[in-house]
Amino acid sequence: MADSNNWGNCKGCRYFDSHHPNPGDTEVARCMQPELEEFDLQVSGMSGCAEFEARTGISGGISQEPEPAPGIH
C-alpha cells in the first residue's frame, strides 16, 4: 500500500457503506470496494487503504499512508 497515491481514511471513501452523509471516525461499516466486497470486511471510519475513492461532496480526502508506530510490525 505504501506505493499508492490513493490512500485515504474509510470515512471519506465512496466504498464505506455508511448511511450518514459525514461518517465519523468510530463508525463501523462494510467495505464495498469491488475486489474486497466478497470478504465482508467491517471497517471503522479511521481505517484506511490504497483503494480509496472520495465520497461525493468530500474534497481533499486522499493523503499519504501514515507511518507505523515504532515497535509495531
Side-chain angles (χ1 to χ4, degrees):
M1 275 193 248
D3 294 335
S4 177
N5 292 325
N6 292 331
W7 193 94
N9 291 113
C10 294
K11 67 182 179 182
C13 183
R14 67 180 246 154
Y15 298 122
F16 189 61
D17 192 27
S18 172
H19 300 289
H20 298 102
N22 295 307
D25 293 348
T26 60
E27 182 175 347
V28 176
R30 188 167 180 229
C31 175
M32 302 298 289
Q33 199 280 338
E35 293 177 19
L36 302 174
E37 188 175 1
E38 69 180 284
F39 299 107
D40 196 27
L41 297 174
Q42 300 290 314
V43 295
S44 72
M46 282 302 291
S47 299
C49 81
E51 299 300 325
F52 176 87
E53 288 186 28
R55 293 171 70 95
T56 303
I58 302 290
S59 63
I62 296 174
S63 60
Q64 290 184 341
E65 183 175 3
E67 294 295 321
I72 296 178
H73 301 281

Coordinates of all heavy atoms in Angstrom, one line a residue:
M1 N 0.8 -1.2 0.0 CA 0.0 0.0 0.0 C 0.8 1.3 0.0 O 0.4 2.3 -0.4 CB -0.9 0.0 1.2 CG -2.2 -0.7 1.1 SD -3.3 -0.3 2.4 CE -3.4 -1.9 3.2
A2 N 2.0 1.2 0.5 CA 2.8 2.4 0.7 C 3.1 3.1 -0.7 O 3.4 4.3 -0.7 CB 4.1 2.0 1.4
D3 N 3.1 2.4 -1.8 CA 3.4 3.0 -3.1 C 2.2 3.7 -3.7 O 2.4 4.3 -4.7 CB 4.0 1.9 -4.0 CG 5.3 1.3 -3.6 OD1 6.0 2.1 -2.8 OD2 5.6 0.2 -3.9
S4 N 1.0 3.5 -3.2 CA -0.2 4.1 -3.8 C -0.3 5.6 -3.5 O 0.1 6.1 -2.5 CB -1.4 3.4 -3.2 OG -2.6 3.9 -3.8
N5 N -0.9 6.3 -4.5 CA -1.2 7.7 -4.3 C -2.6 7.9 -3.9 O -3.0 9.0 -3.8 CB -0.9 8.4 -5.6 CG 0.6 8.4 -6.0 OD1 1.4 8.5 -5.1 ND2 0.9 8.3 -7.2
N6 N -3.4 6.9 -3.7 CA -4.8 7.0 -3.4 C -5.2 6.5 -2.0 O -6.3 6.1 -1.7 CB -5.6 6.2 -4.4 CG -5.6 6.7 -5.8 OD1 -5.4 7.9 -6.0 ND2 -5.7 5.9 -6.8
W7 N -4.2 6.6 -1.1 CA -4.5 6.2 0.3 C -5.4 7.2 1.0 O -5.3 8.4 0.8 CB -3.2 6.1 1.1 CG -3.5 5.3 2.4 CD1 -3.3 4.0 2.6 CD2 -3.9 5.9 3.6 NE1 -3.6 3.7 3.9 CE2 -4.0 4.8 4.5 CE3 -4.3 7.1 4.1 CZ2 -4.4 5.0 5.8 CZ3 -4.7 7.3 5.4 CH2 -4.8 6.2 6.2
G8 N -6.4 6.8 1.8 CA -7.3 7.7 2.5 C -8.1 6.9 3.5 O -8.1 5.7 3.5
N9 N -8.7 7.6 4.5 CA -9.5 7.0 5.5 C -10.8 6.6 5.0 O -11.4 7.2 4.1 CB -9.7 8.0 6.7 CG -8.4 8.2 7.4 OD1 -7.9 9.3 7.4 ND2 -7.9 7.2 8.1
C10 N -11.3 5.5 5.5 CA -12.6 4.9 5.0 C -13.7 5.8 5.2 O -14.6 5.8 4.3 CB -12.8 3.6 5.8 SG -11.6 2.3 5.4
K11 N -13.8 6.7 6.2 CA -14.9 7.5 6.4 C -15.2 8.5 5.2 O -16.3 9.0 5.0 CB -14.8 8.3 7.7 CG -13.7 9.3 7.7 CD -13.6 10.0 9.0 CE -12.4 11.0 9.0 NZ -12.3 11.7 10.3
G12 N -14.1 8.8 4.4 CA -14.2 9.7 3.3 C -14.3 8.9 2.0 O -14.3 9.5 0.9
C13 N -14.4 7.6 2.0 CA -14.3 6.8 0.8 C -15.7 6.4 0.3 O -16.6 6.1 1.1 CB -13.5 5.5 1.1 SG -13.3 4.4 -0.4
R14 N -15.9 6.4 -1.0 CA -17.2 6.0 -1.5 C -17.6 4.6 -1.3 O -18.8 4.2 -1.3 CB -17.3 6.3 -3.0 CG -16.3 5.4 -3.8 CD -16.4 5.6 -5.3 NE -16.9 4.4 -5.9 CZ -17.6 4.4 -7.1 NH1 -17.7 5.5 -7.7 NH2 -18.0 3.3 -7.5
Y15 N -16.6 3.7 -1.0 CA -16.9 2.3 -0.7 C -17.3 2.0 0.8 O -17.6 0.9 1.1 CB -15.7 1.4 -1.1 CG -15.4 1.5 -2.6 CD1 -14.1 1.9 -3.0 CD2 -16.3 1.2 -3.5 CE1 -13.8 2.0 -4.3 CE2 -16.0 1.3 -4.9 CZ -14.8 1.7 -5.3 OH -14.5 1.7 -6.6
F16 N -17.2 3.0 1.6 CA -17.6 2.9 3.0 C -19.1 2.9 3.1 O -19.8 3.9 2.8 CB -17.0 4.0 3.9 CG -17.1 3.9 5.3 CD1 -16.5 2.8 6.0 CD2 -17.8 4.8 6.1 CE1 -16.6 2.7 7.4 CE2 -17.9 4.7 7.5 CZ -17.3 3.7 8.1
D17 N -19.7 1.8 3.4 CA -21.2 1.6 3.3 C -21.9 2.2 4.5 O -22.6 1.6 5.3 CB -21.5 0.1 3.3 CG -22.9 -0.2 2.9 OD1 -23.5 0.7 2.2 OD2 -23.4 -1.3 3.2
S18 N -21.7 3.5 4.7 CA -22.4 4.3 5.7 C -23.6 5.0 5.1 O -23.7 5.4 4.0 CB -21.5 5.4 6.2 OG -22.2 6.2 7.1
H19 N -24.7 5.1 6.0 CA -25.9 5.8 5.5 C -25.8 7.3 6.0 O -26.8 8.0 5.8 CB -27.1 5.1 6.1 CG -27.2 3.7 5.6 ND1 -27.5 3.4 4.3 CD2 -27.0 2.5 6.2 CE1 -27.5 2.0 4.1 NE2 -27.2 1.5 5.2
H20 N -24.7 7.7 6.6 CA -24.6 9.0 7.1 C -23.8 9.9 6.0 O -22.9 9.4 5.5 CB -23.8 9.1 8.4 CG -24.5 8.3 9.5 ND1 -24.1 7.1 9.9 CD2 -25.6 8.7 10.3 CE1 -24.9 6.7 10.9 NE2 -25.8 7.6 11.1
P21 N -24.2 11.1 5.8 CA -23.5 11.9 4.8 C -22.1 12.3 5.3 O -21.2 12.5 4.4 CB -24.4 13.2 4.7 CG -25.3 13.2 5.9 CD -25.4 11.8 6.4
N22 N -21.8 12.3 6.6 CA -20.5 12.6 7.1 C -20.2 11.6 8.2 O -20.3 11.9 9.4 CB -20.4 14.0 7.7 CG -20.6 15.1 6.6 OD1 -19.9 15.1 5.6 ND2 -21.6 16.0 6.8
P23 N -19.7 10.4 7.8 CA -19.4 9.3 8.8 C -18.3 9.8 9.8 O -17.4 10.6 9.4 CB -18.9 8.2 8.0 CG -19.4 8.4 6.6 CD -19.5 9.9 6.5
G24 N -18.4 9.3 11.0 CA -17.4 9.6 12.0 C -16.2 8.6 12.0 O -16.3 7.6 11.4
D25 N -15.2 9.0 12.8 CA -14.0 8.1 13.0 C -14.4 6.8 13.6 O -13.8 5.8 13.2 CB -13.0 8.8 13.9 CG -12.4 10.1 13.3 OD1 -12.6 10.3 12.1 OD2 -11.7 10.8 14.1
T26 N -15.3 6.7 14.5 CA -15.6 5.5 15.2 C -16.7 4.7 14.6 O -17.0 3.5 15.0 CB -15.9 5.7 16.7 OG1 -17.1 6.6 16.7 CG2 -14.7 6.4 17.4
E27 N -17.4 5.2 13.5 CA -18.5 4.4 12.9 C -17.9 3.2 12.2 O -16.8 3.3 11.6 CB -19.1 5.3 11.8 CG -20.3 4.6 11.1 CD -21.1 5.5 10.2 OE1 -20.9 6.7 10.2 OE2 -21.8 4.9 9.4
V28 N -18.6 2.1 12.3 CA -18.2 0.9 11.6 C -19.2 0.5 10.5 O -20.4 0.6 10.7 CB -18.1 -0.3 12.7 CG1 -17.8 -1.6 12.0 CG2 -17.1 0.0 13.7
A29 N -18.6 0.2 9.3 CA -19.5 -0.1 8.2 C -18.8 -1.1 7.3 O -17.6 -1.3 7.4 CB -19.8 1.2 7.4
R30 N -19.5 -1.7 6.4 CA -18.9 -2.7 5.5 C -18.1 -2.0 4.4 O -18.5 -0.9 3.9 CB -20.1 -3.5 4.9 CG -19.6 -4.6 4.0 CD -20.8 -5.6 3.7 NE -20.3 -6.7 2.9 CZ -20.8 -7.1 1.8 NH1 -21.9 -6.5 1.4 NH2 -20.3 -8.1 1.2
C31 N -17.0 -2.5 3.9 CA -16.2 -2.1 2.8 C -16.8 -2.7 1.5 O -16.9 -3.9 1.4 CB -14.8 -2.4 2.9 SG -13.8 -2.0 1.5
M32 N -17.3 -1.8 0.6 CA -17.9 -2.3 -0.6 C -17.0 -2.2 -1.8 O -17.5 -2.2 -3.0 CB -19.2 -1.5 -0.8 CG -20.2 -1.6 0.3 SD -20.8 -3.2 0.6 CE -21.8 -3.4 -0.8
Q33 N -15.7 -2.0 -1.7 CA -14.8 -2.0 -2.8 C -14.9 -3.3 -3.5 O -14.9 -4.4 -2.9 CB -13.3 -1.8 -2.3 CG -12.4 -1.3 -3.3 CD -11.8 -2.4 -4.2 OE1 -11.8 -3.5 -3.9 NE2 -11.3 -2.0 -5.4
P34 N -15.1 -3.3 -4.9 CA -15.5 -4.5 -5.6 C -14.5 -5.7 -5.4 O -15.0 -6.8 -5.3 CB -15.4 -4.0 -7.1 CG -15.8 -2.6 -7.0 CD -15.2 -2.1 -5.7
E35 N -13.2 -5.4 -5.3 CA -12.3 -6.6 -5.1 C -12.3 -7.1 -3.7 O -11.8 -8.2 -3.4 CB -10.9 -6.1 -5.5 CG -10.8 -5.9 -7.0 CD -9.4 -5.4 -7.4 OE1 -8.4 -5.6 -6.7 OE2 -9.3 -4.8 -8.5
L36 N -12.8 -6.3 -2.8 CA -12.8 -6.7 -1.3 C -14.2 -7.1 -0.8 O -14.3 -7.7 0.3 CB -12.2 -5.6 -0.5 CG -10.8 -5.1 -0.8 CD1 -10.4 -3.9 0.0 CD2 -9.8 -6.2 -0.6
E37 N -15.2 -6.8 -1.6 CA -16.6 -6.9 -1.1 C -16.9 -8.4 -0.7 O -17.6 -8.6 0.3 CB -17.5 -6.5 -2.2 CG -19.0 -6.5 -1.8 CD -19.8 -5.9 -2.9 OE1 -19.4 -5.6 -4.0 OE2 -21.0 -5.8 -2.7
E38 N -16.3 -9.4 -1.4 CA -16.6 -10.8 -1.1 C -16.1 -11.2 0.3 O -16.6 -12.2 0.9 CB -16.0 -11.7 -2.1 CG -14.4 -11.7 -2.1 CD -13.8 -12.6 -3.1 OE1 -13.8 -13.8 -2.9 OE2 -13.3 -12.1 -4.1
F39 N -15.2 -10.4 0.9 CA -14.7 -10.7 2.2 C -15.5 -10.2 3.4 O -15.3 -10.5 4.6 CB -13.2 -10.2 2.4 CG -12.3 -10.9 1.4 CD1 -11.9 -10.1 0.3 CD2 -11.9 -12.2 1.5 CE1 -11.0 -10.7 -0.7 CE2 -11.1 -12.8 0.5 CZ -10.7 -12.0 -0.6
D40 N -16.6 -9.4 3.1 CA -17.5 -8.8 4.1 C -16.7 -8.1 5.2 O -17.0 -8.3 6.4 CB -18.4 -9.9 4.7 CG -19.6 -9.4 5.4 OD1 -20.0 -8.3 5.1 OD2 -20.1 -10.1 6.3
L41 N -15.8 -7.3 4.8 CA -14.9 -6.5 5.8 C -15.8 -5.5 6.5 O -16.5 -4.7 5.8 CB -13.8 -5.9 5.0 CG -12.8 -6.8 4.4 CD1 -11.7 -5.9 3.6 CD2 -12.1 -7.6 5.4
Q42 N -15.6 -5.4 7.8 CA -16.2 -4.4 8.6 C -15.0 -3.5 9.0 O -14.1 -3.9 9.7 CB -16.9 -4.9 9.8 CG -18.0 -5.9 9.5 CD -19.2 -5.2 8.9 OE1 -19.7 -4.2 9.4 NE2 -19.7 -5.8 7.8
V43 N -15.1 -2.2 8.7 CA -14.0 -1.3 9.0 C -14.5 0.0 9.7 O -15.7 0.3 9.5 CB -13.3 -0.8 7.7 CG1 -12.6 -2.0 7.0 CG2 -14.2 -0.2 6.7
S44 N -13.6 0.6 10.4 CA -14.0 1.9 11.1 C -13.7 3.1 10.2 O -13.0 2.9 9.2 CB -13.2 2.0 12.4 OG -11.9 2.4 12.1
G45 N -14.3 4.2 10.5 CA -14.1 5.4 9.7 C -12.6 5.8 9.6 O -12.1 6.4 8.7
M46 N -11.8 5.5 10.7 CA -10.4 5.8 10.7 C -9.5 4.8 10.0 O -8.3 5.0 9.9 CB -9.9 6.0 12.1 CG -10.3 7.4 12.7 SD -9.7 8.8 11.7 CE -8.0 8.7 12.0
S47 N -10.1 3.6 9.6 CA -9.4 2.7 8.9 C -9.0 3.3 7.5 O -9.6 4.3 7.2 CB -10.2 1.4 8.6 OG -10.5 0.8 9.8
G48 N -8.1 2.7 6.8 CA -7.8 3.3 5.5 C -7.1 2.3 4.6 O -6.6 1.2 5.1
C49 N -7.1 2.5 3.3 CA -6.4 1.6 2.4 C -6.0 2.4 1.1 O -6.4 3.5 0.9 CB -7.2 0.4 2.1 SG -8.5 0.6 0.9
A50 N -5.4 1.7 0.2 CA -4.9 2.2 -1.0 C -6.0 2.1 -2.2 O -5.7 2.5 -3.3 CB -3.6 1.5 -1.5
E51 N -7.2 1.7 -1.9 CA -8.2 1.6 -2.9 C -9.2 2.8 -2.7 O -10.3 2.7 -3.1 CB -9.0 0.3 -2.8 CG -8.1 -0.9 -3.1 CD -7.5 -0.9 -4.4 OE1 -8.1 -0.4 -5.4 OE2 -6.3 -1.3 -4.6
F52 N -8.8 3.8 -1.9 CA -9.6 4.9 -1.6 C -10.2 5.7 -2.8 O -9.4 5.9 -3.8 CB -8.8 5.9 -0.7 CG -9.5 7.2 -0.4 CD1 -10.3 7.2 0.8 CD2 -9.4 8.3 -1.2 CE1 -11.0 8.4 1.1 CE2 -10.1 9.5 -0.8 CZ -10.9 9.5 0.3
E53 N -11.4 6.0 -2.8 CA -12.1 6.9 -3.8 C -13.0 7.8 -3.0 O -13.8 7.3 -2.3 CB -12.9 6.1 -4.8 CG -12.0 5.3 -5.8 CD -12.8 4.7 -6.9 OE1 -13.9 5.2 -7.3 OE2 -12.3 3.6 -7.4
A54 N -12.8 9.1 -3.2 CA -13.5 10.1 -2.4 C -15.1 9.9 -2.5 O -15.6 9.7 -3.6 CB -13.1 11.5 -2.7
R55 N -15.8 10.1 -1.4 CA -17.2 10.1 -1.4 C -17.7 11.4 -2.1 O -17.0 12.4 -2.1 CB -17.8 10.2 0.0 CG -17.5 8.9 0.8 CD -17.9 9.2 2.3 NE -19.3 9.3 2.5 CZ -20.1 8.3 2.9 NH1 -19.6 7.1 3.0 NH2 -21.4 8.5 3.1
T56 N -18.9 11.4 -2.7 CA -19.4 12.6 -3.3 C -19.5 13.7 -2.2 O -19.9 13.5 -1.1 CB -20.8 12.3 -3.8 OG1 -20.8 11.2 -4.7 CG2 -21.4 13.5 -4.5
G57 N -19.0 14.9 -2.6 CA -19.0 16.0 -1.7 C -17.9 16.1 -0.8 O -17.8 17.0 0.0
I58 N -16.9 15.2 -0.8 CA -15.8 15.2 0.1 C -14.6 15.6 -0.8 O -14.3 15.1 -1.8 CB -15.4 13.8 0.6 CG1 -16.6 13.2 1.4 CG2 -14.2 13.8 1.5 CD1 -16.9 13.9 2.7
S59 N -13.8 16.6 -0.3 CA -12.6 17.1 -1.0 C -11.4 16.9 -0.1 O -11.5 16.9 1.1 CB -12.8 18.5 -1.4 OG -12.9 19.3 -0.3
G60 N -10.3 16.7 -0.8 CA -9.0 16.6 0.0 C -8.9 15.3 0.8 O -8.2 15.3 1.8
G61 N -9.6 14.3 0.5 CA -9.6 13.0 1.3 C -8.4 12.2 1.1 O -8.0 11.4 2.0
I62 N -7.7 12.3 -0.1 CA -6.6 11.5 -0.3 C -5.4 12.0 0.5 O -5.1 13.2 0.5 CB -6.2 11.5 -1.8 CG1 -7.4 10.8 -2.6 CG2 -4.9 10.7 -2.1 CD1 -7.2 10.8 -4.1
S63 N -4.6 11.1 1.1 CA -3.5 11.6 1.9 C -2.4 10.5 1.8 O -2.6 9.5 1.2 CB -3.9 11.8 3.4 OG -4.4 10.6 3.9
Q64 N -1.3 10.8 2.4 CA -0.2 9.8 2.5 C -0.5 8.7 3.5 O -1.1 9.1 4.6 CB 1.1 10.4 2.8 CG 1.6 11.3 1.7 CD 3.0 11.8 2.0 OE1 3.4 11.8 3.1 NE2 3.7 12.2 1.0
E65 N -0.1 7.5 3.3 CA -0.3 6.5 4.3 C 0.5 6.8 5.5 O 1.6 7.2 5.4 CB 0.1 5.1 3.7 CG -0.1 4.0 4.6 CD 0.2 2.6 4.0 OE1 0.7 2.6 2.8 OE2 0.0 1.6 4.6
P66 N -0.1 6.7 6.7 CA 0.6 7.0 7.9 C 1.7 6.0 8.2 O 1.6 4.9 7.8 CB -0.5 7.0 9.0 CG -1.5 6.1 8.4 CD -1.5 6.3 6.9
E67 N 2.8 6.5 8.8 CA 3.9 5.6 9.2 C 3.5 4.8 10.3 O 2.7 5.3 11.2 CB 5.1 6.5 9.6 CG 5.7 7.3 8.4 CD 6.3 6.4 7.3 OE1 6.9 5.4 7.6 OE2 6.1 6.8 6.1
P68 N 3.9 3.5 10.4 CA 3.5 2.7 11.5 C 4.2 3.2 12.8 O 5.3 3.8 12.7 CB 4.0 1.3 11.1 CG 4.9 1.5 10.0 CD 4.6 2.8 9.4
A69 N 3.5 3.0 13.9 CA 4.1 3.4 15.2 C 5.3 2.6 15.5 O 5.4 1.4 15.1 CB 3.0 3.2 16.3
P70 N 6.3 3.1 16.2 CA 7.5 2.4 16.5 C 7.2 1.1 17.3 O 6.4 1.2 18.2 CB 8.4 3.4 17.3 CG 7.8 4.7 17.0 CD 6.4 4.5 16.6
G71 N 7.9 0.1 17.0 CA 7.7 -1.2 17.7 C 6.5 -2.0 17.2 O 6.3 -3.1 17.7
I72 N 5.7 -1.5 16.2 CA 4.6 -2.3 15.7 C 5.0 -2.9 14.3 O 5.5 -2.2 13.5 CB 3.4 -1.5 15.5 CG1 2.9 -1.0 16.9 CG2 2.3 -2.3 14.8 CD1 1.7 -0.1 16.9
H73 N 4.8 -4.2 14.1 CA 5.2 -4.8 12.9 C 4.0 -5.2 12.1 O 3.1 -5.7 12.5 CB 6.1 -6.0 13.2 CG 7.4 -5.6 13.9 ND1 8.5 -5.1 13.3 CD2 7.7 -5.7 15.2 CE1 9.4 -4.9 14.2 NE2 8.9 -5.2 15.4

